[in-house]
Amino acid sequence: MRMLIFMAGAIAIAAAPPAFAKPGKGKGPHHATHAGAHGCPPGLAKKRNGCLPPGQARKLFGVGQRIPTGYRHYSSYDAIPAAYRDRFGIPTGQRYIYRDDTVYVVDPTTRLVSRIFDLID
């Protein structure tokens, strides 16, 4: 008797048609109908940092953290406004990442972040 019930259940499951989701009916910020460019939420679609909010983008690198080998978004010393260079005493002869009002000073030989200057008071 148990075997008969088990077999009937297995046949019922196997014979049931699969449930197909209709596109565009999902909920949440990551669904295709709600996403902006590159799959980002609408408020972050035009940001320079991909889909990261500005507060998280500033925390991409910390002091003592090694910059990845393939990282290619370094800024020149001249790209940092002279007023900021003079005011904060940003040293010369290093590599720099200048974005979102933050300057990361990177040692060129070890690729370690040595200092971070937050330019917003």
Side-chain angles (χ1 to χ4, degrees):
M1 182 68 173
R2 285 185 186 173
M3 187 60 128
L4 183 62
I5 293 173
F6 177 73
M7 293 292 283
I11 291 172
I13 290 173
F20 293 105
K22 293 183 180 179
K25 299 293 181 186
K27 295 182 180 179
H30 300 294
H31 192 270
T33 59
H34 299 282
H38 306 293
C40 297
L44 300 176
K46 295 182 182 178
K47 298 290 182 186
R48 290 181 287 173
N49 301 320
C51 293
L52 290 176
Q56 289 181 359
R58 282 190 208 115
K59 299 175 187 175
L60 284 179
F61 304 113
V63 174
Q65 183 177 356
R66 187 176 309 276
I67 303 299
T69 305
Y71 190 81
R72 300 188 192 282
H73 303 288
Y74 289 106
S75 305
S76 68
Y77 184 74
D78 295 332
I80 304 167
Y84 291 144
R85 292 186 305 217
D86 297 338
R87 181 177 175 191
F88 291 99
I90 297 174
T92 59
Q94 302 288 315
R95 282 190 159 176
Y96 309 95
I97 300 170
Y98 172 54
R99 67 179 200 201
D100 296 327
D101 297 317
T102 303
V103 175
Y104 300 89
V105 180
V106 181
D107 184 290
T109 56
T110 62
R111 296 186 333 269
L112 293 175
V113 176
S114 59
R115 295 182 72 183
I116 299 174
F117 295 97
D118 191 9
L119 304 179
I120 298 178
D121 292 332

